[in-house]
Amino acid sequence: MAHFQNQDLEYMGEDYYDMTDFEDNPFEDTESHMNDVDESLDSDFEDDFDLSKPKTDTSALEARNGKDIQGIPWERLNFSRDKYRETRLKQYKNYENLSRSRQELEKECKHVEMGHNFYAFQFNTRLVKSTIVHFQLRNLLWATSKHDVYLMQNYSVMHWSSLLRNGKEVLNVAKSIVPTLKYPGSLAQILSRVQISTMAVKDNLLAAGGFHGELICKYLNQPGVAFSTTITTGENAITNAVDICQTPSGSVRVVTANNDAQVRVFDAGKFACLNRFSFPWSVNSTSVSPDGKLLAVLGDSADCLIADAQSGKVVGNLKGHLDYSFASAWHPDGQILATGNQDTTCRLWDVRNLSESVSVLKGRMGAIRAIKFTSDGRFMAMAEPADFVHVFDTQSDYAKVQEIDLFGEIAGISFSPDTEALFVGVADRTYGSLLEFNRRRYNHYLDSII
């Protein structure tokens, strides 16, 4: 992956599109610009929370009555939302590492039926707002229930309760991080001022990777940090992805992917490094199949790999993408793997026949940087770097899609484990927020009498 750092943790782009200055500051290529350092950003939770006003939030009722879901006052601006969208689509420049011809790609893409509304807007809050460290890494938001969301905000891991509608800091990585789990031979180290580049939260465990090769693991029901260390150093140290998974025997593992072309597997008990797998290129994303047997490995290559999760031996090579890949997810049935690429597509692969992808799904304007399935396998969401999240109905063979249209860089997406909610983190100087969408049900009355 490109080794660009965001020194200003609050705002990843050099200039997020200024909603009040459209003519003087047209949309810029926010994916390829970084900011200067701002040493004042330690933990901005208190300041942000005090300055935020409930009136900036938007409810479903307000949205139905005409308010913009992000609270953007289009009526006071000298351009309409449609005009702003039109210009954005024309001027957005997708970041590419490989300049390959995309002419034939459109022919491969699946024709889909737009206009569906599987998840309806429920609430938007600016009391918490996502931030991004690296423009290519967008796994910085996770929901552990429909009421509990975890996201990065500057140097703080925040918890948002959609039930109580308040935010709380659960981890401050600007301060000294002293691991509590100590035993002979432990790799644990004291860390400080970590820039979180990626994170994962599952059940009671939070795992976060840092820009300088750090790994931090915290049990959410315990004070302090259980484990912290620098797993790799040097120019290519960045931790690009972390995954929390189970082995076939049920043991919990933390898998890290790094720019040093290594995938490391840690146990989630003592956090010992159990395995280390080497690949030919920087690894940007890994995901373990639901049965714990296969490992998807994506990185600085147009090809994606399938490896044995226990040995690291490559058992499949996925060819079709045109650029580097940064996102992957398995369907809960374990038969379909989705991969997201900077060629602006998501490819679906059937593990029973990896000779070619079974479908190619196209975004609107940018790379596919995050992919998530609902736990029941009914829906798959994929997020672009900015502005668009696409929700596909898998039962229609991915032919029916909902397009969520917003403005701002997308820091992460997450379905709640019960499938009832979809959360989207938006990073923006003015309109950074957390968006909540709820699954629409069309048979409430019938369900109540059955």
Side-chain angles (χ1 to χ4, degrees), residues 93-250:
K93 296 178 182 178
N94 180 49
Y95 185 88
E96 298 176 356
N97 285 102
L98 304 178
S99 299
R100 297 183 176 183
S101 173
R102 309 299 206 247
Q103 291 183 349
E104 297 299 315
L105 189 59
E106 292 286 347
K107 298 178 183 178
E108 286 190 80
C109 293
K110 187 180 187 72
H111 293 285
V112 297
E113 183 181 292
M114 304 283 288
H116 291 273
N117 190 21
F118 308 123
Y119 281 79
F121 172 75
Q122 179 67 20
F123 196 75
N124 181 59
T125 182
R126 286 191 232 161
L127 293 181
V128 291
K129 55 178 67 176
S130 294
T131 52
I132 299 166
V133 167
H134 194 286
F135 72 98
Q136 290 171 307
L137 305 179
R138 305 302 181 91
N139 280 310
L140 293 167
L141 183 148
W142 290 79
T144 56
S145 82
K146 63 182 177 182
H147 300 310
D148 300 282
V149 187
Y150 296 85
L151 67 153
M152 281 307 306
Q153 181 170 320
N154 302 323
Y155 284 98
S156 300
V157 177
M158 301 293 299
H159 168 259
W160 170 256
S161 170
S162 61
L163 182 64
L164 302 176
R165 291 183 177 171
N166 61 27
K168 178 183 179 182
E169 182 183 74
V170 297
L171 177 63
N172 184 334
V173 292
K175 303 174 183 177
S176 181
I177 302 168
V178 181
T180 59
L181 187 63
K182 298 178 181 178
Y183 61 91
S186 171
L187 299 173
Q189 298 174 331
I190 297 174
L191 304 176
S192 65
R193 206 165 183 81
V194 177
Q195 294 178 280
I196 300 298
S197 52
T198 186
M199 62 184 277
V201 187
K202 187 171 293 185
D203 297 327
N204 189 43
L205 179 61
L206 180 153
F211 193 85
H212 296 288
E214 301 95 341
L215 173 64
I216 301 169
C217 297
K218 173 182 172 60
Y219 292 109
L220 296 174
N221 64 345
Q222 298 177 12
V225 168
F227 177 76
S228 62
T229 192
T230 300
I231 57 178
T232 180
T233 59
E235 182 180 354
N236 294 320
I238 186 168
T239 304
N240 294 324
V242 290
D243 186 23
I244 301 172
C245 61
Q246 286 190 335
T247 66
S249 63

Side-chain angles (χ1 to χ4, degrees), residues 54 56-60 62 67-71 121-128 160 165 424 426 431-436:
T56 63
D57 293 350
T58 305
S59 68
E62 289 174 315
K67 183 178 179 180
D68 181 83
I69 63 171
Q70 294 177 267
F121 172 75
Q122 179 67 20
F123 196 75
N124 181 59
T125 182
R126 286 191 232 161
L127 293 181
V128 291
W160 170 256
R165 291 183 177 171
V424 181
V426 178
Y431 297 100
S433 65
L434 176 63
L435 287 154
E436 177 186 351

Side-chain angles (χ1 to χ4, degrees), residues 405-434:
D405 182 328
L406 53 90
F407 289 101
E409 297 288 315
I410 297 171
I413 56 174
S414 183
F415 289 108
S416 60
D418 64 2
T419 80
E420 291 301 315
L422 168 63
F423 296 93
V424 181
V426 178
D428 185 88
R429 284 192 180 277
T430 305
Y431 297 100
S433 65
L434 176 63

Side-chain angles (χ1 to χ4, degrees), residues 67-80:
K67 183 178 179 180
D68 181 83
I69 63 171
Q70 294 177 267
I72 301 171
W74 298 105
E75 68 281 0
R76 299 208 305 265
L77 304 179
N78 52 9
F79 46 86
S80 66

